Coordinates of all heavy atoms in Angstrom, one line a residue:
M1 N 18.7 0.9 6.6 CA 18.2 -0.4 6.3 C 17.9 -0.5 4.8 O 17.5 0.4 4.2 CB 17.0 -0.6 7.2 CG 16.1 -1.8 6.9 SD 17.1 -3.3 7.1 CE 16.0 -4.5 6.7
S2 N 18.2 -1.7 4.3 CA 17.9 -1.9 2.9 C 16.4 -2.2 2.7 O 15.7 -2.7 3.6 CB 18.7 -3.1 2.4 OG 18.4 -4.3 3.2
G3 N 15.9 -2.0 1.5 CA 14.6 -2.4 1.2 C 13.5 -1.4 1.0 O 12.5 -1.7 0.5
T4 N 13.8 -0.1 1.4 CA 12.7 0.9 1.2 C 12.9 1.6 -0.2 O 13.8 2.2 -0.4 CB 12.8 2.0 2.3 OG1 12.6 1.4 3.5 CG2 11.7 3.0 2.1
P5 N 12.0 1.3 -1.1 CA 12.1 1.8 -2.4 C 11.9 3.3 -2.4 O 11.2 3.9 -1.6 CB 11.0 1.2 -3.2 CG 10.5 0.1 -2.4 CD 10.8 0.4 -0.9
D6 N 12.6 4.0 -3.3 CA 12.5 5.5 -3.4 C 11.0 5.8 -3.7 O 10.3 5.1 -4.4 CB 13.3 6.0 -4.6 CG 14.8 5.9 -4.2 OD1 15.1 5.8 -3.0 OD2 15.6 6.0 -5.2
G7 N 10.6 6.9 -3.2 CA 9.2 7.3 -3.5 C 8.2 6.8 -2.5 O 7.0 7.2 -2.6
L8 N 8.6 6.0 -1.6 CA 7.7 5.4 -0.6 C 7.9 5.8 0.8 O 7.6 5.2 1.8 CB 7.7 3.9 -0.7 CG 7.2 3.3 -2.0 CD1 7.3 1.8 -2.0 CD2 5.7 3.7 -2.3
I9 N 8.5 7.0 0.9 CA 8.9 7.5 2.3 C 7.7 8.4 2.8 O 7.4 9.3 2.1 CB 10.1 8.4 2.2 CG1 11.3 7.7 1.5 CG2 10.5 8.9 3.6 CD1 11.7 6.4 2.1
P10 N 7.1 8.0 3.8 CA 6.0 8.8 4.3 C 6.5 10.2 4.7 O 7.6 10.4 5.2 CB 5.6 8.0 5.6 CG 6.2 6.7 5.5 CD 7.4 6.8 4.7
S11 N 5.6 11.1 4.4 CA 6.0 12.6 4.6 C 6.5 12.9 5.9 O 7.5 13.6 6.1 CB 4.9 13.5 4.1 OG 3.8 13.3 4.9
Q12 N 5.9 12.3 7.0 CA 6.2 12.6 8.3 C 7.6 12.0 8.7 O 8.2 12.4 9.7 CB 5.2 12.1 9.3 CG 5.2 10.6 9.6 CD 4.5 9.8 8.6 OE1 4.1 10.2 7.6 NE2 4.3 8.5 8.9
A13 N 8.1 11.1 7.9 CA 9.4 10.5 8.2 C 10.6 11.0 7.3 O 11.7 10.5 7.4 CB 9.3 9.0 8.0
V14 N 10.3 12.0 6.5 CA 11.4 12.5 5.6 C 12.6 13.0 6.3 O 13.7 12.7 6.0 CB 10.8 13.6 4.6 CG1 11.9 14.3 3.9 CG2 9.9 12.9 3.6
P15 N 12.4 13.8 7.4 CA 13.6 14.3 8.1 C 14.5 13.1 8.7 O 15.7 13.1 8.6 CB 13.0 15.1 9.3 CG 11.7 15.6 8.8 CD 11.2 14.4 8.0
Q16 N 13.8 12.1 9.2 CA 14.5 11.0 9.8 C 15.1 10.1 8.6 O 16.2 9.6 8.8 CB 13.6 10.1 10.6 CG 13.1 10.7 11.8 CD 11.9 11.6 11.6 OE1 11.4 11.9 10.5 NE2 11.3 12.1 12.7
F17 N 14.5 10.1 7.5 CA 15.0 9.4 6.4 C 16.3 10.1 5.9 O 17.3 9.4 5.6 CB 14.0 9.3 5.2 CG 14.5 8.6 4.0 CD1 14.7 7.2 3.9 CD2 14.9 9.3 2.9 CE1 15.2 6.6 2.8 CE2 15.4 8.7 1.8 CZ 15.6 7.3 1.7
L18 N 16.3 11.4 5.8 CA 17.4 12.1 5.3 C 18.6 12.0 6.3 O 19.8 11.9 5.9 CB 17.0 13.6 5.1 CG 16.1 13.9 3.9 CD1 15.7 15.3 3.9 CD2 16.6 13.4 2.6
A19 N 18.3 12.0 7.6 CA 19.3 11.8 8.6 C 20.0 10.4 8.4 O 21.2 10.3 8.5 CB 18.8 12.0 10.0
L20 N 19.1 9.5 8.2 CA 19.7 8.1 8.0 C 20.5 8.0 6.7 O 21.6 7.4 6.7 CB 18.5 7.1 7.9 CG 18.9 5.6 7.6 CD1 19.9 5.1 8.7 CD2 17.6 4.8 7.6
V21 N 20.1 8.6 5.6 CA 20.8 8.6 4.4 C 22.2 9.2 4.6 O 23.2 8.7 4.1 CB 20.1 9.3 3.2 CG1 20.9 9.6 2.0 CG2 18.9 8.5 2.8
E22 N 22.2 10.4 5.3 CA 23.5 11.0 5.6 C 24.4 10.1 6.4 O 25.6 10.1 6.2 CB 23.2 12.3 6.4 CG 24.4 13.1 6.6 CD 24.2 14.5 7.2 OE1 23.0 15.0 7.1 OE2 25.0 15.0 7.9
E23 N 23.8 9.5 7.4 CA 24.6 8.6 8.2 C 25.2 7.4 7.4 O 26.4 7.0 7.5 CB 23.8 7.9 9.3 CG 24.5 7.2 10.4 CD 25.2 8.0 11.4 OE1 24.7 9.0 11.8 OE2 26.3 7.6 11.7
L24 N 24.5 7.0 6.4 CA 24.9 5.8 5.6 C 25.9 6.3 4.5 O 26.5 5.4 3.9 CB 23.7 5.2 4.9 CG 22.6 4.5 5.9 CD1 21.5 3.9 5.1 CD2 23.3 3.4 6.7
S25 N 26.0 7.6 4.3 CA 26.8 8.0 3.1 C 28.2 8.1 3.5 O 29.1 8.4 2.6 CB 26.3 9.4 2.7 OG 26.5 10.4 3.6
V26 N 28.6 8.0 4.7 CA 30.0 8.1 5.1 C 30.5 6.8 5.7 O 29.8 6.0 6.2 CB 30.2 9.2 6.2 CG1 29.9 10.5 5.6 CG2 29.4 8.9 7.4
G27 N 31.8 6.5 5.6 CA 32.5 5.4 6.2 C 32.1 4.1 5.5 O 31.6 4.1 4.3
E28 N 32.5 3.0 6.1 CA 32.3 1.7 5.6 C 30.8 1.3 5.4 O 30.0 1.9 6.3 CB 33.0 0.6 6.5 CG 34.5 0.7 6.5 CD 35.1 0.4 5.2 OE1 34.7 -0.7 4.7 OE2 36.0 1.1 4.7
P29 N 30.5 0.5 4.5 CA 29.0 0.1 4.4 C 28.6 -0.5 5.7 O 29.3 -1.3 6.4 CB 29.0 -0.9 3.3 CG 30.2 -0.6 2.5 CD 31.3 -0.1 3.5
V30 N 27.3 -0.3 6.1 CA 26.8 -0.9 7.3 C 26.4 -2.3 7.1 O 26.4 -2.8 6.0 CB 25.5 -0.1 7.8 CG1 25.9 1.3 8.2 CG2 24.5 0.0 6.7
P31 N 26.3 -3.1 8.2 CA 26.1 -4.5 8.0 C 25.0 -4.9 7.0 O 25.2 -5.9 6.3 CB 25.7 -5.0 9.4 CG 26.4 -4.0 10.3 CD 26.4 -2.7 9.6
C32 N 23.9 -4.2 7.0 CA 22.8 -4.7 6.1 C 23.1 -4.4 4.7 O 22.4 -4.8 3.8 CB 21.4 -4.1 6.6 SG 21.4 -2.3 6.5
R33 N 24.2 -3.6 4.4 CA 24.7 -3.4 3.0 C 25.8 -4.4 2.7 O 26.2 -4.4 1.5 CB 25.2 -2.0 2.9 CG 24.1 -0.9 3.1 CD 23.4 -0.5 1.9 NE 22.2 0.3 2.0 CZ 22.2 1.6 1.9 NH1 23.3 2.2 1.6 NH2 21.1 2.3 2.1
R34 N 26.2 -5.2 3.6 CA 27.4 -6.1 3.4 C 26.9 -7.5 3.5 O 27.6 -8.4 2.9 CB 28.5 -5.9 4.5 CG 29.2 -4.6 4.3 CD 30.4 -4.5 5.3 NE 30.0 -4.0 6.6 CZ 30.1 -4.6 7.7 NH1 30.5 -5.8 7.7 NH2 29.7 -4.1 8.8
K35 N 25.8 -7.8 4.1 CA 25.4 -9.1 4.3 C 24.1 -9.4 3.4 O 23.5 -8.4 3.1 CB 25.0 -9.4 5.8 CG 26.1 -9.2 6.7 CD 27.1 -10.4 6.7 CE 28.2 -10.3 7.7 NZ 29.1 -11.5 7.7
P36 N 23.6 -10.6 3.3 CA 22.5 -10.9 2.5 C 21.2 -10.1 3.1 O 20.9 -10.3 4.3 CB 22.3 -12.4 2.6 CG 23.7 -12.9 2.8 CD 24.3 -11.9 3.7
P37 N 20.6 -9.3 2.3 CA 19.4 -8.5 2.8 C 18.4 -9.3 3.5 O 17.7 -8.9 4.4 CB 18.9 -7.8 1.6 CG 20.0 -7.8 0.6 CD 20.8 -9.0 0.9
E38 N 18.2 -10.6 3.0 CA 17.1 -11.4 3.6 C 17.3 -11.7 5.0 O 16.2 -12.0 5.7 CB 16.9 -12.7 2.8 CG 18.1 -13.6 2.8 CD 19.0 -13.3 1.6 OE1 19.0 -12.2 1.0 OE2 19.8 -14.3 1.3
L39 N 18.5 -11.5 5.6 CA 18.6 -11.7 7.0 C 17.7 -10.8 7.8 O 17.3 -11.1 8.9 CB 20.1 -11.5 7.4 CG 21.1 -12.5 7.0 CD1 22.5 -11.9 7.4 CD2 20.8 -13.8 7.6
W40 N 17.5 -9.6 7.3 CA 16.7 -8.5 7.9 C 15.2 -8.7 7.8 O 14.4 -8.0 8.3 CB 17.1 -7.2 7.5 CG 18.3 -6.7 8.3 CD1 18.4 -5.9 9.4 CD2 19.7 -7.1 8.0 NE1 19.7 -5.8 9.8 CE2 20.5 -6.5 9.0 CE3 20.3 -7.9 7.0 CZ2 21.9 -6.7 9.0 CZ3 21.6 -8.1 7.1 CH2 22.4 -7.5 8.1
W41 N 14.8 -9.7 7.0 CA 13.4 -9.9 6.7 C 12.9 -11.3 7.1 O 11.7 -11.6 6.8 CB 13.1 -9.7 5.2 CG 13.6 -8.3 4.8 CD1 14.7 -8.0 4.2 CD2 12.9 -7.1 5.0 NE1 14.8 -6.6 4.0 CE2 13.7 -6.0 4.5 CE3 11.6 -6.8 5.6 CZ2 13.3 -4.7 4.6 CZ3 11.3 -5.5 5.7 CH2 12.1 -4.4 5.2
R42 N 13.7 -12.1 7.7 CA 13.3 -13.5 8.1 C 12.5 -13.4 9.4 O 12.7 -12.6 10.2 CB 14.6 -14.3 8.3 CG 15.3 -14.7 7.1 CD 16.5 -15.6 7.4 NE 17.2 -16.0 6.2 CZ 18.5 -16.4 6.2 NH1 19.2 -16.4 7.3 NH2 19.0 -16.7 5.1
A43 N 11.8 -14.5 9.6 CA 11.0 -14.7 10.9 C 12.0 -14.8 12.0 O 11.8 -14.3 13.1 CB 10.1 -15.8 10.8
K44 N 13.1 -15.5 11.8 CA 14.2 -15.7 12.8 C 15.2 -14.7 12.5 O 15.9 -14.7 11.5 CB 14.8 -17.1 12.8 CG 13.8 -18.2 13.2 CD 14.5 -19.5 13.4 CE 13.5 -20.5 13.9 NZ 14.1 -21.8 14.3
H45 N 15.3 -13.7 13.4 CA 16.1 -12.5 13.1 C 17.2 -12.2 14.1 O 17.7 -11.1 14.2 CB 15.3 -11.3 12.8 CG 14.1 -11.2 13.7 ND1 14.1 -11.3 15.0 CD2 12.8 -11.2 13.4 CE1 12.9 -11.2 15.5 NE2 12.0 -11.2 14.5
E46 N 17.6 -13.2 14.9 CA 18.6 -12.9 15.9 C 19.9 -12.5 15.3 O 20.7 -11.6 15.8 CB 18.8 -14.1 16.8 CG 17.6 -14.3 17.7 CD 17.2 -13.1 18.5 OE1 18.1 -12.4 19.0 OE2 16.0 -12.8 18.5
E47 N 20.3 -13.1 14.1 CA 21.6 -12.7 13.5 C 21.5 -11.3 13.0 O 22.5 -10.5 13.3 CB 21.8 -13.7 12.3 CG 23.2 -13.4 11.7 CD 23.5 -14.4 10.5 OE1 22.7 -15.3 10.3 OE2 24.5 -14.2 9.9
A48 N 20.4 -10.8 12.4 CA 20.3 -9.5 12.0 C 20.4 -8.5 13.2 O 21.1 -7.5 13.1 CB 19.0 -9.3 11.2
K49 N 19.7 -8.8 14.2 CA 19.7 -8.0 15.4 C 21.1 -7.9 16.0 O 21.6 -6.8 16.4 CB 18.8 -8.5 16.4 CG 17.3 -8.3 16.0 CD 16.3 -9.0 16.8 CE 16.1 -8.5 18.2 NZ 15.0 -9.2 18.9
G50 N 21.9 -9.0 15.9 CA 23.3 -8.9 16.4 C 24.1 -8.0 15.5 O 25.0 -7.3 16.0
L51 N 23.9 -8.1 14.2 CA 24.7 -7.2 13.3 C 24.3 -5.8 13.5 O 25.1 -4.9 13.5 CB 24.4 -7.7 11.9 CG 25.1 -9.0 11.5 CD1 24.4 -9.6 10.3 CD2 26.5 -8.9 11.4
C52 N 23.0 -5.5 13.7 CA 22.6 -4.1 14.0 C 23.2 -3.5 15.2 O 23.5 -2.3 15.3 CB 21.1 -4.1 14.2 SG 20.1 -4.3 12.6
R53 N 23.5 -4.4 16.3 CA 24.1 -3.9 17.5 C 25.5 -3.3 17.2 O 25.9 -2.5 18.0 CB 24.1 -4.9 18.5 CG 22.8 -5.2 19.2 CD 22.9 -6.0 20.5 NE 23.1 -7.5 20.2 CZ 22.1 -8.3 20.0 NH1 20.9 -7.9 20.0 NH2 22.4 -9.6 19.7
Q54 N 26.1 -3.7 16.1 CA 27.4 -3.2 15.8 C 27.4 -2.0 14.8 O 28.4 -1.6 14.4 CB 28.2 -4.4 15.1 CG 28.3 -5.6 15.9 CD 28.8 -6.8 15.1 OE1 29.3 -6.6 14.0 NE2 28.5 -8.0 15.5
C55 N 26.2 -1.6 14.5 CA 26.1 -0.6 13.4 C 26.1 0.8 13.9 O 25.4 1.2 14.9 CB 24.7 -0.9 12.7 SG 24.4 0.3 11.3
R56 N 26.9 1.6 13.3 CA 27.0 3.1 13.7 C 25.7 3.8 13.4 O 25.5 4.9 14.0 CB 28.1 3.7 13.0 CG 27.9 3.9 11.5 CD 29.0 4.7 10.8 NE 28.6 4.9 9.4 CZ 28.7 4.1 8.4 NH1 29.2 2.9 8.7 NH2 28.4 4.4 7.2
A57 N 24.9 3.3 12.5 CA 23.7 4.1 12.1 C 22.4 3.6 12.9 O 21.3 3.9 12.5 CB 23.4 3.9 10.6
R58 N 22.7 2.8 13.9 CA 21.5 2.2 14.6 C 20.5 3.1 15.1 O 19.3 2.9 14.9 CB 22.1 1.3 15.7 CG 21.0 0.5 16.4 CD 21.6 -0.3 17.5 NE 20.5 -1.1 18.1 CZ 20.7 -1.8 19.2 NH1 21.8 -1.8 19.8 NH2 19.7 -2.4 19.8
E59 N 20.9 4.2 15.7 CA 19.9 5.1 16.3 C 19.2 5.9 15.1 O 17.9 6.0 15.2 CB 20.7 6.2 17.1 CG 19.8 7.1 17.8 CD 20.5 8.1 18.8 OE1 21.7 7.8 19.1 OE2 20.0 9.1 19.1
A60 N 19.9 6.3 14.1 CA 19.2 7.0 13.0 C 18.2 6.0 12.3 O 17.1 6.4 11.8 CB 20.2 7.5 12.0
C61 N 18.6 4.7 12.2 CA 17.8 3.7 11.5 C 16.5 3.5 12.3 O 15.4 3.5 11.8 CB 18.6 2.4 11.4 SG 17.8 1.1 10.6
L62 N 16.6 3.4 13.6 CA 15.5 3.1 14.4 C 14.6 4.4 14.4 O 13.3 4.3 14.4 CB 15.9 2.8 15.9 CG 14.7 2.5 16.9 CD1 13.9 1.4 16.4 CD2 15.3 2.2 18.3
D63 N 15.2 5.6 14.5 CA 14.3 6.8 14.5 C 13.5 6.8 13.2 O 12.3 7.2 13.2 CB 15.3 8.0 14.5 CG 15.9 8.3 15.9 OD1 15.4 7.7 16.9 OD2 16.8 9.1 15.9
Y64 N 14.1 6.5 12.1 CA 13.4 6.5 10.8 C 12.2 5.4 10.9 O 11.1 5.7 10.5 CB 14.3 6.2 9.6 CG 13.4 5.8 8.4 CD1 12.7 6.8 7.8 CD2 13.3 4.5 8.0 CE1 11.8 6.5 6.7 CE2 12.4 4.2 7.0 CZ 11.7 5.2 6.4 OH 10.8 4.8 5.4
A65 N 12.6 4.3 11.3 CA 11.5 3.2 11.3 C 10.4 3.6 12.2 O 9.2 3.3 11.8 CB 12.1 1.9 11.8
L66 N 10.6 4.2 13.3 CA 9.5 4.6 14.2 C 8.7 5.7 13.5 O 7.5 5.7 13.6 CB 10.1 5.0 15.5 CG 10.8 4.0 16.4 CD1 11.4 4.5 17.6 CD2 9.7 2.9 16.8
A67 N 9.4 6.7 12.9 CA 8.7 7.8 12.3 C 7.8 7.3 11.1 O 6.7 7.8 10.9 CB 9.7 8.9 11.8
A68 N 8.4 6.4 10.4 CA 7.7 5.9 9.2 C 6.7 4.7 9.5 O 6.0 4.3 8.7 CB 8.7 5.3 8.2
D69 N 6.7 4.3 10.8 CA 5.8 3.2 11.2 C 6.1 2.0 10.3 O 5.1 1.3 9.8 CB 4.4 3.6 11.2 CG 3.5 2.6 11.9 OD1 4.0 1.9 12.7 OD2 2.3 2.5 11.5
E70 N 7.4 1.6 10.1 CA 7.7 0.5 9.3 C 7.1 -0.8 10.0 O 7.4 -1.0 11.2 CB 9.2 0.4 9.2 CG 9.8 1.4 8.2 CD 9.6 1.1 6.8 OE1 9.0 0.0 6.4 OE2 9.9 2.0 5.9
R71 N 6.4 -1.6 9.3 CA 5.7 -2.7 9.9 C 6.5 -4.1 9.8 O 6.1 -5.0 10.4 CB 4.3 -2.9 9.2 CG 3.4 -1.7 9.4 CD 3.0 -1.5 10.8 NE 2.3 -0.3 11.1 CZ 0.9 -0.3 11.1 NH1 0.2 -1.3 10.9 NH2 0.3 0.9 11.3
F72 N 7.5 -4.1 8.9 CA 8.2 -5.3 8.6 C 9.7 -5.1 8.7 O 10.2 -4.0 8.5 CB 7.8 -5.9 7.2 CG 6.3 -6.0 7.0 CD1 5.6 -5.1 6.4 CD2 5.7 -7.1 7.6 CE1 4.2 -5.2 6.2 CE2 4.3 -7.3 7.4 CZ 3.6 -6.3 6.7
G73 N 10.4 -6.3 9.0 CA 11.8 -6.3 9.0 C 12.4 -5.7 10.2 O 11.7 -5.2 11.1
I74 N 13.7 -5.9 10.3 CA 14.5 -5.4 11.5 C 15.1 -4.0 11.1 O 15.7 -3.9 10.1 CB 15.7 -6.4 11.8 CG1 15.2 -7.8 12.0 CG2 16.5 -5.8 13.0 CD1 14.2 -7.9 13.2
W75 N 14.8 -3.1 12.0 CA 15.4 -1.7 11.8 C 16.0 -1.3 13.1 O 15.3 -1.4 14.1 CB 14.2 -0.7 11.4 CG 13.6 -0.9 10.1 CD1 12.6 -1.9 9.8 CD2 13.8 -0.2 8.9 NE1 12.3 -1.8 8.5 CE2 13.0 -0.8 7.9 CE3 14.6 0.8 8.6 CZ2 12.9 -0.3 6.6 CZ3 14.6 1.4 7.3 CH2 13.7 0.8 6.3
G76 N 17.2 -0.8 13.0 CA 17.8 -0.3 14.3 C 18.0 -1.4 15.3 O 18.0 -1.2 16.5
G77 N 18.0 -2.7 14.9 CA 18.1 -3.8 15.8 C 16.9 -4.2 16.5 O 16.9 -5.0 17.4
R78 N 15.7 -3.7 16.0 CA 14.5 -4.1 16.7 C 13.5 -4.8 15.7 O 13.3 -4.2 14.6 CB 13.8 -2.9 17.3 CG 14.6 -2.4 18.5 CD 13.7 -1.5 19.3 NE 14.6 -0.8 20.3 CZ 14.1 0.3 21.0 NH1 12.8 0.6 20.9 NH2 14.9 0.9 21.8
A79 N 12.8 -5.7 16.1 CA 11.8 -6.4 15.4 C 10.5 -5.5 15.4 O 10.4 -4.7 16.3 CB 11.5 -7.8 15.9
P80 N 9.6 -5.8 14.5 CA 8.3 -5.0 14.5 C 7.6 -5.0 15.8 O 7.2 -3.9 16.2 CB 7.5 -5.7 13.4 CG 8.5 -6.3 12.5 CD 9.6 -6.8 13.4
N81 N 7.4 -6.1 16.5 CA 6.7 -6.1 17.8 C 7.5 -5.3 18.8 O 6.9 -4.6 19.7 CB 6.4 -7.5 18.3 CG 7.6 -8.3 18.5 OD1 8.7 -8.1 17.9 ND2 7.5 -9.3 19.3
E82 N 8.8 -5.3 18.7 CA 9.6 -4.5 19.7 C 9.5 -3.0 19.4 O 9.5 -2.2 20.3 CB 11.1 -4.9 19.6 CG 11.3 -6.4 20.0 CD 12.7 -6.9 19.6 OE1 13.3 -6.5 18.6 OE2 13.2 -7.7 20.4
R83 N 9.4 -2.6 18.1 CA 9.2 -1.2 17.8 C 7.8 -0.7 18.3 O 7.7 0.4 18.6 CB 9.4 -1.0 16.3 CG 10.8 -1.3 15.8 CD 11.0 -0.7 14.4 NE 10.2 -1.3 13.4 CZ 10.5 -2.3 12.7 NH1 11.6 -3.0 12.9 NH2 9.7 -2.8 11.8
R84 N 6.9 -1.6 18.2 CA 5.5 -1.2 18.7 C 5.3 -1.3 20.2 O 4.3 -1.0 20.7 CB 4.5 -2.1 18.0 CG 4.3 -1.8 16.5 CD 3.1 -2.6 15.9 NE 3.1 -4.0 16.1 CZ 3.6 -4.8 15.2 NH1 4.1 -4.4 14.1 NH2 3.6 -6.1 15.5
G85 N 6.4 -1.9 20.8 CA 6.3 -2.0 22.3 C 5.4 -3.2 22.8 O 4.9 -3.1 23.9
T86 N 5.3 -4.2 21.9 CA 4.4 -5.3 22.2 C 5.2 -6.5 22.4 O 4.7 -7.6 22.5 CB 3.4 -5.5 21.2 OG1 4.0 -5.8 19.9 CG2 2.4 -4.4 21.0
A87 N 6.6 -6.5 22.5 CA 7.4 -7.6 22.6 C 7.4 -8.2 24.0 O 7.2 -7.4 24.9 CB 8.9 -7.3 22.2
Ligands
LIG101 S1 20.9 -0.6 12.3 FE1 20.7 -2.6 11.3 S2 19.1 -2.3 9.7 FE2 19.8 -0.2 10.5 S3 21.3 0.4 9.0 FE3 22.4 -0.6 10.7 S4 22.6 -2.7 10.1 FE4 21.1 -1.8 8.7

């Protein structure tokens, strides 16, 4: 997922972050690297979630977001409330 600045990776999420980086390092750019990043940060995020469903890195992306307790944005095709299980 786009948007996480270097140096802000929570220590408990480093393994998941490295797995995600490895996933992103091969093949064609994933949807959030090809489309306007703001799609993943809007209140209305159905378009981003649809693009995530086509993404090869979806599982690694969601694993990272859960480990890092990302509070904002769409990660792995899930909104913050869906990641917290409150949707
Ligand atoms: S699952 Fe979605 S947010 Fe994660 S890398 Fe793929 S397109 Fe980006």
